[in-house]
Amino acid sequence: GAGVSQSPSNKVTEKGKDVELRCDPISGHTALYWYRQSLGQGLEFLIYFQGNSAPDKSGLPSDRFSAERTGGSVSTLTIQRTQQEDSAVYLCASSHQPQGYTGELFFGEGSRLTVL
Amino acid sequence: KQEVTQIPAALSVPEGENLVLNCSFTDSAIYNLQWFRQDPGKGLTSLLLIQSSQREQTSGRLNASLDKSSGRSTLYIAASQPGDSATYLCAVYGGSQGNLIFGKGTKLSVKP
């Protein structure tokens, strides 16, 4: 597609439910990133994919968070047993990033998660 | 650990003014620095990318400079317009981290 696409754009869920957030990167982009932006806070790095592998999972806040990427394209961020503190905007970005080089990051519009 | 600071946190100027946004980072071993714009309720839009070997980049009314040794970057906006109102974010990439480290942004308001 023309840009990074994220779905759903808005998700309201009850505490304790699982949610899945989807990111469809720009075609051909090898690197994919997930960030979280809480109200009044900066962007918090969650996880980074190069192809289908995740060299850096250091930002995942707890074992309730997981992410996968298949076919070097679409990625899914899963949050299990959601808590109110998980409420935030989850942003995905992609980049054309051959090994050893980092290119410009392009962001999606984000998925706004509200946990009641 | 890399830290990125943006000053000021908020800025209000009248239309037509030239302005400078500041970004500083603690670890000068970066690969590149990127400036973004974020409108309320939206994602981030890339404005300028400066590689570590470069000193500045220009796009239209925007000019970004990079001084790696002192850990600083500035974003210069010429002849500001109300449509420039947004939050401007600075981010640095350090190869060992595999991700961009963001500042908290400067919220710019340009009054007509």
Side-chain angles (χ1 to χ4, degrees):
Chain A
V4 178
S5 178
Q6 291 188 246
S7 61
S9 55
N10 278 286
K11 176 72 176 179
V12 179
T13 191
E14 294 179 347
K15 177 181 174 181
K17 300 284 189 182
D18 297 351
V19 297
E20 283 190 354
L21 308 177
R22 176 189 167 104
C23 174
D24 199 344
I26 293 172
S27 178
H29 279 193
T30 55
L32 185 147
Y33 302 80
W34 283 99
Y35 286 84
R36 177 167 74 173
Q37 188 174 35
S38 303
L39 189 63
Q41 300 296 313
L43 271 79
E44 176 188 4
F45 168 75
L46 298 178
I47 190 168
Y48 151 66
F49 288 91
Q50 179 65 260
N52 289 336
S53 64
D56 189 350
K57 302 180 181 180
S58 63
L60 294 176
S62 76
D63 59 8
R64 295 186 297 104
F65 287 72
S66 63
E68 65 176 12
R69 188 180 185 195
T70 55
S73 181
V74 172
S75 176
T76 303
L77 176 69
T78 301
I79 309 173
Q80 296 178 309
R81 304 181 303 281
T82 51
Q83 304 293 313
Q84 288 182 332
E85 61 262 29
D86 299 334
S87 296
V89 177
Y90 290 81
L91 291 163
C92 175
S94 71
S95 171
H96 178 55
Q97 194 158 313
Q99 194 67 29
Y101 168 79
T102 182
E104 192 173 3
L105 257 67
F106 296 89
F107 278 80
E109 294 287 292
S111 292
R112 181 176 298 277
L113 174 65
T114 303
V115 182
L116 301 177
Chain B
K1 179 183 173 183
Q2 178 73 271
E3 292 183 1
V4 179
T5 303
Q6 291 187 247
I7 295 173
L11 180 64
S12 182
V13 300
E15 182 177 4
E17 272 203 6
N18 302 324
L19 58 100
V20 174
L21 307 181
N22 297 293
C23 171
S24 62
F25 46 96
T26 54
D27 185 350
S28 61
I30 65 169
Y31 282 4
N32 63 41
L33 183 146
Q34 199 166 349
W35 282 93
F36 295 88
R37 166 187 175 137
Q38 185 174 31
D39 293 284
K42 299 290 186 181
L44 278 68
T45 300
S46 177
L47 298 174
L48 290 164
L49 170 69
I50 311 177
Q51 300 293 346
S52 62
S53 58
Q54 298 173 322
R55 291 194 64 84
E56 66 177 340
Q57 282 286 338
T58 298
S59 176
R61 294 182 294 107
L62 305 180
N63 175 277
S65 68
L66 174 64
D67 184 342
K68 259 186 62 172
S69 60
S70 67
R72 293 180 183 176
S73 176
T74 60
L75 179 66
Y76 175 82
I77 302 177
S80 58
Q81 303 171 357
D84 295 331
S85 298
T87 296
Y88 290 81
L89 294 153
C90 162
V92 299
Y93 179 82
S96 63
Q97 298 161 326
N99 71 86
L100 288 185
I101 305 297
F102 283 83
K104 293 191 174 181
T106 294
K107 185 174 183 179
L108 173 65
S109 177
V110 181
K111 305 295 186 184

